Amino acid sequence: MNFDLEDKLNEYVKRNDLDSAIRIAESELSKIPETEFHQLIGMNLLHLESKLDKYISNFYSSVKLKYALSFGKNLKALYCEMNGFTINYDRWFIDLFSFSEIAQEDYEWLADYDHLTKNDLTLTGFENLQKVYEDVYKNKKYEIPEIEQAYEVAELLIILRLQELFRETYKNAKSNGKKWTEFPMFVTAHDYEMIYKTE
């Protein structure tokens, strides 16, 4: 993991400036000698927007009812976690979680969710990259310097693209009056510190 780059990108993510974060990550990737990971430059997940909208809407409908039936608990926030995608290259997916308690100082509270989705949502469009991750692991290519460097930038760029998908989905759902946009959604992948919060 490129912790310096993650810290730098995280500053932009916290300011809700995903466009700058993506630009910086793509620029860093382009400085590395060409690898299979470079196909990620310019790619996004925005084709999944309507599917994600429906997925969040369905989850919101089910948890809204559960909170209505539970005394003293109200929905405060939602959380999306992508699976540990670098080592689970066969399928990339997300799960959603809901919370009645959140904290401001850190993200330890993300472990104490009330409800989670019964079914995950498969992320499509990056299948060629999944094959690249598989090739790197199966053929132990991680030892090759440019592959290691590109790998470390690519993993952060993939998370940024997921966060971009949520930003755009929330923006359009808000303009269509979807109630779930009133609740913040925190978005990242398993075991990553770079967490985006929808506005």
Side-chain angles (χ1 to χ4, degrees):
M1 165 66 74
N2 186 332
F3 292 107
D4 288 342
L5 181 60
E6 184 183 24
D7 289 344
K8 183 178 180 181
L9 296 175
N10 209 8
E11 288 307 309
Y12 288 93
V13 170
K14 285 176 187 168
R15 295 199 298 265
N16 198 14
D17 188 359
L18 290 176
D19 294 335
S20 293
I22 289 166
R23 248 191 327 273
I24 291 164
E26 289 191 335
S27 170
E28 288 300 313
L29 187 55
S30 67
K31 291 175 191 172
I32 300 163
E34 188 84 17
T35 69
E36 296 260 10
F37 287 108
H38 285 67
Q39 66 186 283
L40 184 56
I41 295 172
M43 289 177 72
N44 63 53
L45 292 166
L46 298 179
H47 62 280
L48 292 170
E49 197 184 306
S50 61
K51 268 189 181 175
L52 180 59
D53 183 307
K54 189 176 176 189
Y55 186 61
I56 299 170
S57 294
N58 289 342
F59 182 57
Y60 174 69
S61 295
S62 75
V63 298
K64 190 175 66 166
L65 181 61
K66 288 172 183 171
Y67 283 113
L69 298 172
S70 68
F71 297 103
K73 279 191 174 184
N74 295 305
L75 177 62
K76 294 255 179 73
L78 299 165
Y79 170 56
C80 162
E81 185 174 277
M82 183 177 176
N83 65 318
F85 61 96
T86 60
I87 54 171
N88 297 294
Y89 36 74
D90 56 324
R91 192 167 73 92
W92 291 357
F93 61 87
I94 58 169
D95 286 295
L96 300 179
F97 303 80
S98 70
F99 299 82
S100 54
E101 297 294 331
I102 60 174
Q104 301 302 322
E105 62 279 358
D106 58 40
Y107 290 114
E108 296 296 316
W109 55 272
L110 287 172
D112 300 320
Y113 61 88
D114 298 318
H115 307 288
L116 76 154
T117 39
K118 284 183 182 163
N119 303 304
D120 52 48
L121 176 68
T122 300
L123 298 174
T124 59
F126 282 4
E127 288 84 357
N128 285 343
L129 277 159
Q130 290 170 234
K131 290 190 179 103
V132 175
Y133 279 99
E134 181 177 12
D135 179 47
V136 167
Y137 271 96
K138 286 191 172 171
N139 297 304
K140 298 183 171 53
K141 290 184 176 178
Y142 198 76
E143 307 300 319
I144 303 167
E146 62 268 23
I147 289 184
E148 180 186 5
Q149 290 173 308
Y151 174 109
E152 291 181 345
V153 178
E155 63 184 321
L156 297 171
L157 190 47
I158 288 164
I159 296 168
L160 289 170
R161 288 303 190 178
L162 175 67
Q163 293 168 340
E164 176 191 44
L165 169 63
F166 272 82
R167 180 189 67 186
E168 294 307 306
T169 304
Y170 256 71
K171 195 188 297 178
N172 293 325
K174 191 173 276 191
S175 65
N176 289 323
K178 297 276 175 84
K179 278 287 194 187
W180 46 262
T181 61
E182 295 170 13
F183 302 94
M185 172 81 76
F186 296 82
V187 185
T188 193
H190 184 68
D191 271 348
Y192 287 85
E193 302 290 318
M194 195 168 68
I195 298 175
Y196 169 70
K197 178 186 174 189
T198 59
E199 295 289 308

